[in-house]
Each structure stands twice: as C-alpha cells, then as structure tokens.
Amino acid sequence: QLQLVESGGGLVHSGGSLRLSCAASGFTLDYYSIGWFRQAPGKEREGVSCISRSGAMTNYADSVKGRFTISRDNAKRTVYLQMNSLKPEDTGVYYCAAGRGADVQAMCALSARYLETWGQGTLVTVSS
C-alpha cells in the first residue's frame, strides 16, 4: 500500500515562502498522479495543485496561480509544493494524495476516483 508523509509546514508571515514535501513509500511513485489539497478550520477541503505521473501536466487553483509551483522527483519518490508570496488565506492543513489517472483537473476538483491514498497533513499558518 502506498503511504504518503507530508512535511515542511510551519508558521510564516504574509509574503513569506515555504516548501512542502510529500514523501512516498510502499510502491513506485510514478504509478500515481499526486495532488496537494488544503483545509482551513470549518471549511471544505479544496484542491491546490496536482501533477501527473510524469510531471508533464499540472493544475493549479486560481487562488494560487503564479505563487505556487508543484514538482516531482520520482527517483526520490517525493513531490514538492513551493509556496511563495503566502497570504493569510493560505492557512490550513495541507494534505497530499495519490491516485491513478491522467486528468489532473479532475483530481484537483476532488473527483473521488482519482484519490486513493492520503497523507496525514502538515499545518501551514500564515500570519498577517
């Protein structure tokens, strides 16, 4: 069973940067598309950014375009989310998830058939 562990969260001031990592174990990572999702207290989980198996296709939520960059290193079995120009609205628990399928837009829209395995999450807090 594929397992995912997130790291890199923390407290940062508005305008700062963080890089999140999603480390995979259990199976070869390149079988899976990977997505980053976040959930603020009392709010619905939302898709942030997703990346295809090869890394050729990516998707970003409108709210993070131009600020966040998703990438993957299948040899290292790790997916990254570089977050720049952070805003208080970015605060939440960030989760990575894995699934099979090529439609990264659907994955980021939380289409259940693309989401098989979730990590435990890492907390990102952006102060104003």
Side-chain angles (χ1 to χ4, degrees), residues 2 24-32 72 74-75 77 100:
L2 178 68
S25 62
F27 290 99
T28 304
L29 183 61
D30 61 5
Y31 293 164
Y32 298 91
R72 66 189 296 161
N74 288 342
R77 301 187 178 189
R100 295 171 181 173

Side-chain angles (χ1 to χ4, degrees), residues 43-124:
K43 294 188 177 181
E44 213 170 89
R45 189 171 298 187
E46 63 176 337
V48 177
S49 185
C50 298
I51 189 165
S52 65
R53 293 165 61 182
S54 68
M57 303 297 295
T58 59
N59 179 263
Y60 296 92
D62 288 342
S63 60
V64 307
K65 286 180 179 177
R67 300 189 297 120
F68 291 11
T69 303
I70 191 169
S71 62
R72 66 189 296 161
D73 187 335
N74 288 342
K76 294 183 178 180
R77 301 187 178 189
T78 304
V79 176
Y80 305 96
L81 184 68
Q82 179 66 47
M83 306 188 296
N84 297 327
S85 302
L86 283 162
K87 304 175 181 179
E89 304 96 279
D90 297 317
T91 293
V93 178
Y94 282 68
Y95 302 88
C96 60
R100 295 171 181 173
D103 191 341
V104 293
Q105 288 186 327
M107 188 179 199
C108 269
L110 288 164
S111 181
R113 64 189 177 97
Y114 289 97
L115 301 168
E116 301 175 26
T117 303
W118 291 84
Q120 292 297 112
T122 185
L123 178 63
V124 172

